[in-house]
DNA sequence: TCTGGGGTCCTAGGACCC
DNA sequence: TCTGGGGTCCTAGGACCC
């Protein structure tokens, strides 16, 4: 038996946790560069703001009523791990599925106790973190997800799918886990509109037309688990850092500056997972929304001779790739660095000709420790610095304080 | 004026192996 | 003139997730 615990309107609720005066108000959290709505309080949804909608497309009179926040992922990640801690106390197994969702296992819990334990989890999360949440319970993860969605519309916030066929009779296909926009449109054209329609569809036909993924979704709907709780997160296969620039950038030096920052960032993530990369990939983009402007979106990759997690090495490769791709005259709007072929540091093929410099690991380790102690950015590569700041700097005009991460931002109670 | 970022898995087809 | 069978690996594209 599986449960899915999900923080309601998670990012918006995190903002409210430290600013309770926002409760009852239309709060919207924006993506990087203050571009699109990525979380909305119920009041904000009621005003018609859509998920993923560019904020400049929201009518001016609606925008005036909104309380706008720039995404503060440091804060959200911190609250997320506190919620996971609470769940780990209550359930035998927990799978952290995303920043705001965890699957939990109801094994060892009597059927008659399921709802009680779920309510206890909600109550603790609300009291200890200030985040409202919902719990869905079902025989498979897919059913638990659907139960969670149904729970959002209830007052008590817990739904167990005891009779999926009855409870999902009107459940729209596009709300089902594993069925996205394309497939729900295609299935709809075949007369399959609800979760129950999918349960009753011919398995072989589904398998042939949509592949094994949708066939598994059907099996899960019918109560046959195809996936269990995964407690230990699998190693990443790639790590990417990309950003839209705060404004269009023209000069090679500014493009290189941005790419160097992305490379540095990606390497930090790499080392935090004790991984090394065997390849580096860089890409650039002009602004695709400016249809009359000249478009250019180059991309280039390079395989390292031996795996590395040394920021200096990755940065110099990324810079070389950037210089090779850069063309004068284009207005660049976005760029990114990807690290590929990730492996664990302890098992790798060394370079036959160039020995491994033992100082590299020590230097990176020291940098990471300094930054952990004195705050991110305390020690950086000179290449990521520029007099007068970054031309490409991302816009974050409505950022809330780092309540849980900086001493200077801790709330004062008077 | 303004338009996000970071992932995964599956499938089909081509290149290559013995 | 006749021209096999059984594999793996890699890549690109397309779907999905949050």
């Amino acid at each position: 038996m599986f449960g899915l615990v999900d923080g309601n309107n998670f990012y918006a609720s995190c903002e409210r946790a430290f600013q309770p005066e926002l409760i009852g108000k239309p709060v919207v959290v924006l993506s990087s560069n203050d571009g699109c709505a990525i979380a909305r309080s119920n009041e904000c949804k009621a005003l018609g703001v859509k998920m993923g909608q560019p904020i400049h497309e929201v009518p001016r009179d609606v925008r005036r009523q909104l309380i706008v926040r720039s995404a503060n992922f440091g804060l959200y990640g911190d609250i997320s791990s506190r919620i996971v801690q609470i769940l780990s106390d209550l359930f035998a197994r927990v799978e952290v599925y995303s920043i705001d969702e965890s699957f939990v296992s109801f094994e060892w819990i009597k059927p008659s106790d399921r709802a009680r334990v779920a309510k206890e989890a909600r109550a603790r999360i609300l009291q200890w973190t200030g985040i409202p949440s919902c719990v869905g319970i079902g025989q498979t993860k897919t059913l638990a997800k659907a139960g969670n969605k149904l729970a959002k519309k209830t007052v008590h916030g817990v739904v167990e799918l005891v009779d999926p066929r009855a409870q999902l009779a009107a459940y729209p296909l596009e709300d089902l886990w594993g069925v996205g926009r394309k497939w729900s449109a295609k299935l709809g054209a075949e007369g399959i509109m609800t979760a129950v329609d999918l349960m009753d569809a011919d398995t072989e036909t589904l398998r042939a037309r949509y592949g094994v993924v949708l066939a598994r979704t059907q099996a899960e709907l019918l109560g046959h688990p195809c996936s269990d709780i995964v407690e230990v997160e699998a190693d990443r296969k790639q790590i990417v850092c990309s950003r839209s620039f705060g404004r269009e950038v023209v000069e090679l030096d500014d493009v290189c500056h941005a790419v160097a920052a992305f490379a540095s960032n990606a390497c930090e993530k790499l080392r935090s997972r004790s991984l090394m990369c065997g390849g580096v990939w860089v890409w650039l983009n002009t602004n695709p929304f400016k249809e009359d402007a000249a478009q250019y979106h180059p991309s280039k990759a390079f395989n390292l001779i031996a795996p590395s997690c040394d920021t200096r090495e990755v940065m110099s490769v990324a810079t070389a790739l950037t210089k090779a791709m850069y063309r004068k005259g284009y207005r660049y709007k976005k760029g990114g660095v990807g690290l590929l072929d990730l492996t664990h540091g302890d098992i790798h093929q060394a370079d036959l000709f160039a020995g491994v410099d033992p100082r590299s690991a020590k230097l990176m380790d020291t940098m990471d420790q300094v930054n952990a102690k004195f705050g991110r950015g305390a020690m950086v590569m000179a290449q990521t610095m520029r007099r007068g700041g970054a031309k490409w700097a991302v816009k974050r005009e409505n950022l809330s304080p780092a309540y849980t991460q900086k001493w200077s931002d801790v709330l004062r109670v008077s």
Side-chain angles (χ1 to χ4, degrees):
Chain A
M1 215 60 186
F2 299 89
L4 180 75
V5 186
D6 174 323
N8 302 347
N9 313 327
F10 187 63
Y11 301 160
S13 298
C14 289
E15 297 291 339
R16 282 174 167 176
F18 284 85
Q19 266 189 290
E21 64 270 26
L22 301 185
I23 293 171
K25 303 240 170 76
V27 178
V28 62
V29 177
L30 302 183
S31 61
S32 168
N33 251 326
D34 291 342
C36 302
I38 53 170
R40 305 152 297 152
S41 70
N42 290 341
E43 297 78 7
C44 176
K45 291 177 189 172
L47 286 172
V49 179
K50 301 282 178 246
M51 182 64 180
Q53 188 177 18
I55 196 66
H56 73 262
E57 282 180 5
V58 175
R60 211 175 280 269
D61 61 309
V62 173
R63 236 183 302 166
R64 263 199 293 271
Q65 302 173 56
L66 298 176
I67 296 181
V68 177
R69 289 285 176 271
S70 307
N72 187 346
F73 286 107
L75 176 66
Y76 312 151
D78 229 12
I79 294 181
S80 172
S81 52
R82 293 172 196 206
I83 293 175
V84 171
Q85 188 56 54
I86 293 169
L87 295 175
S88 309
D89 290 344
L90 283 168
F91 296 95
R93 294 189 294 153
V94 177
E95 171 180 343
V96 180
Y97 179 64
S98 75
I99 194 166
D100 67 330
E101 286 176 59
S102 289
F103 286 106
V104 297
S105 151
F106 274 83
E107 62 199 335
W108 318 123
I109 295 173
K110 275 189 297 186
S112 55
D113 278 346
R114 283 178 201 144
R116 185 185 56 75
V117 175
K119 282 177 185 158
E120 172 68 20
R122 286 188 77 226
R124 278 198 204 177
I125 292 169
L126 184 63
Q127 189 178 355
W128 295 3
T129 69
I131 304 296
S133 62
C134 285
V135 186
I137 306 170
Q139 253 182 309
T140 63
K141 285 179 169 179
T142 302
L143 290 172
K145 279 280 263 187
N148 183 279
K149 187 101 183 172
L150 295 176
K152 299 279 179 203
K153 288 166 201 144
T154 66
V155 187
H156 48 282
V158 177
V159 166
E160 176 172 355
L161 286 188
V162 283
D163 182 1
R165 204 167 263 282
Q167 288 164 283
L168 300 180
Y171 194 93
L173 212 53
E174 61 265 28
D175 288 351
L176 208 55
W177 190 41
V179 182
R181 264 226 299 272
K182 297 264 168 146
W183 283 359
S184 66
K186 205 171 154 192
L187 287 161
E190 299 185 47
I192 299 169
M193 326 282 270
T194 68
V196 170
D197 293 341
L198 187 62
M199 286 183 197
D200 294 336
D202 179 64
T203 305
E204 280 316 303
T205 313
L206 285 183
R207 175 80 180 72
R209 288 192 193 157
Y210 300 87
V212 72
V213 177
L214 193 62
R216 281 204 280 254
T217 298
Q218 184 196 39
E220 288 235 325
L221 276 178
L222 293 168
H224 312 301
C226 297
S227 135
D228 197 5
I229 303 262
V230 182
E231 289 178 273
V232 181
E233 194 191 350
D235 279 328
R236 285 285 166 80
K237 303 194 168 164
Q238 59 171 38
I239 286 176
V240 168
C241 177
S242 78
R243 295 281 181 281
S244 292
F245 306 147
R247 55 180 145 166
E248 290 170 352
V249 161
V250 174
E251 299 300 326
L252 173 61
D253 182 61
D254 293 318
V255 176
C256 284
H257 185 209
V259 167
F262 303 156
S264 166
N265 197 335
C267 285
E268 276 181 29
K269 291 193 220 174
L270 186 70
R271 291 194 300 270
S272 75
R273 294 171 179 273
S274 309
L275 294 170
M276 303 184 106
C277 68
V280 180
W281 167 46
V282 178
W283 73 96
L284 300 171
N285 262 324
T286 48
N287 189 344
F289 296 103
K290 278 195 177 168
E291 287 171 10
D292 48 343
Q295 298 292 325
Y296 182 44
H297 34 91
S299 158
K300 246 183 167 46
F302 183 81
N303 290 325
L304 303 177
I305 292 171
S308 170
C309 61
D310 190 319
T311 302
R312 298 169 301 170
E313 190 179 352
V314 171
M315 204 181 261
S316 80
V317 168
T319 304
L321 291 172
T322 307
K323 286 180 177 163
M325 292 189 299
Y326 174 85
R327 298 277 178 276
K328 213 174 167 58
Y330 290 102
R331 308 182 66 81
Y332 298 91
K333 180 62 178 157
K334 188 174 179 174
V337 171
L339 305 181
L340 313 169
D341 297 330
L342 306 189
T343 50
H344 268 289
D346 47 0
I347 33 161
H348 69 82
Q349 180 70 52
D351 181 354
L352 180 59
F353 301 106
V356 176
D357 184 349
R359 295 175 303 174
S360 162
K362 260 191 180 164
L363 177 62
M364 291 303 119
D365 195 40
T366 305
M367 257 184 75
D368 292 336
Q369 283 183 35
V370 167
N371 286 326
K373 186 163 181 183
F374 297 102
R376 209 149 167 270
M379 185 184 273
V380 298
M381 296 292 164
Q383 264 172 288
T384 66
M385 305 184 70
R386 283 294 184 283
R387 197 189 298 269
K391 279 244 175 55
W392 59 274
V394 169
K395 254 187 287 174
R396 296 174 92 185
E397 285 171 0
N398 302 285
L399 187 62
S400 49
Y403 298 111
T404 60
Q405 297 184 302
K406 272 193 207 161
W407 286 111
S408 58
D409 289 4
V410 171
L411 274 187
R412 284 155 205 267
V413 179
S414 52

